[in-house]
Amino acid sequence: MALGAGLGLAICLQFIELMGGKIGLISSKEHGSTFHFDLTFPVVQQPEKAPPTAPASLPAVRAGVKVLLVEDNRVNQKVAEALLRKVGRHVVAVENGQDALQHIHQEPYDLVLMDCQMPVMDGFEAAKQIRAMPAPLCNIPIIALTAHAMSDDRQKCLEGGMDDYLSKPISRSALITLVQKHAD
Ligand code: MN
C-alpha cells in the first residue's frame, strides 16, 4: 500500500460506517490490495408517498438536544457533525476551547464533545474552565475526543473533569451510545 493511502482510507472508513456499511480488504503480493465495501440503500418506488421516518436501525432520540462540538480537525469535525445530525441532534461546531467557552456563555447546551489537542486553548484547559463556571453551566456533560485509545488518556480526561471519552476515528455506534448516555 502506498504511504499516502492511510488517511484516505481512514476517511472512507468513517463515511462508509456513517452510512451503515462495511469495508473489506483483499490483498495479494502479485496483485496489490483491493478495498471493497457494502452499502444498503432502500428502493423508493413512490417517493411522494414514502413516510418521512428515519431508518429503523437509528435509535429514537429526545428532540431538541443541542451539542457543542469542539474539534480543530476539519475531517473529524465534519464526520461527527454528520453523525449527530443524522440522529436528530442540533450541532454547533467550533475549532478551539476559547470559542467553546464563549458559546457556552451565550446559549445553553446539553452536551459538549471536546477534542483534547487544539490550538489556542486545548480541551483539558477548556474543560477545567467550564467546571469553574457558575451552575448550571459547570454541570454540562463533557465527552472528550481522544486521538489514542490509551488508558492514560482516559484517566487524564476524567481527572480533568470530563465525564467520558471517545477514541478517534469516531465510531458511529460508540458516539450514539455516549450521547444517549449523557444527554438523553
Ligand atoms: Mn485536535
Side-chain angles (χ1 to χ4, degrees), residues 125-181:
E125 178 61 26
K128 196 174 124 193
Q129 294 205 24
I130 290 169
R131 292 303 179 236
M133 287 177 180
L137 298 182
C138 61
N139 299 321
I140 303 171
I142 305 173
I143 298 173
L145 301 175
T146 64
H148 308 287
M150 309 213 7
S151 54
D152 335 355
D153 266 17
R154 175 175 194 147
Q155 202 51 37
K156 204 176 159 192
C157 293
L158 299 180
E159 280 169 10
M162 301 198 228
D163 297 280
D164 230 319
Y165 92 108
L166 194 59
S167 328
K168 294 189 278 189
I170 296 168
S171 128
R172 175 178 179 265
S173 57
L175 176 66
I176 292 170
T177 303
L178 279 187
V179 170
Q180 282 188 317
K181 181 179 164 193

Side-chain angles (χ1 to χ4, degrees), residues 17-182:
E17 274 197 350
L18 173 64
M19 291 187 283
K22 280 190 176 131
I23 195 164
L25 164 68
I26 299 165
S27 193
S28 71
K29 265 188 185 164
E30 295 76 26
H31 301 104
S33 299
T34 303
F35 293 94
H36 58 91
F37 60 86
D38 297 310
L39 286 173
T40 307
F41 294 101
V43 176
V44 181
Q45 284 163 339
Q46 295 174 294
E48 68 280 19
K49 286 182 183 173
T53 52
S57 62
L58 294 177
V61 297
R62 180 161 70 82
V65 170
K66 218 165 143 187
V67 178
L68 182 62
L69 172 64
V70 193
E71 167 65 83
D72 64 308
N73 179 295
R74 277 296 162 92
V75 173
N76 289 332
Q77 195 189 87
K78 288 294 160 206
V79 169
E81 206 173 343
L83 281 169
L84 289 163
R85 293 224 165 104
K86 205 176 171 193
V87 291
R89 288 338 197 270
H90 179 73
V91 187
V92 173
V94 296
E95 288 175 13
N96 63 62
Q98 202 169 68
D99 288 350
L101 297 180
Q102 226 165 30
H103 274 76
I104 288 169
H105 276 298
Q106 281 162 6
E107 49 182 324
Y109 286 91
D110 300 291
L111 183 76
V112 178
L113 284 182
M114 183 77 82
D115 182 27
C116 293
Q117 310 303 325
M118 289 180 291
V120 187
M121 184 190 290
D122 70 17
F124 298 109
E125 178 61 26
K128 196 174 124 193
Q129 294 205 24
I130 290 169
R131 292 303 179 236
M133 287 177 180
L137 298 182
C138 61
N139 299 321
I140 303 171
I142 305 173
I143 298 173
L145 301 175
T146 64
H148 308 287
M150 309 213 7
S151 54
D152 335 355
D153 266 17
R154 175 175 194 147
Q155 202 51 37
K156 204 176 159 192
C157 293
L158 299 180
E159 280 169 10
M162 301 198 228
D163 297 280
D164 230 319
Y165 92 108
L166 194 59
S167 328
K168 294 189 278 189
I170 296 168
S171 128
R172 175 178 179 265
S173 57
L175 176 66
I176 292 170
T177 303
L178 279 187
V179 170
Q180 282 188 317
K181 181 179 164 193
H182 293 284

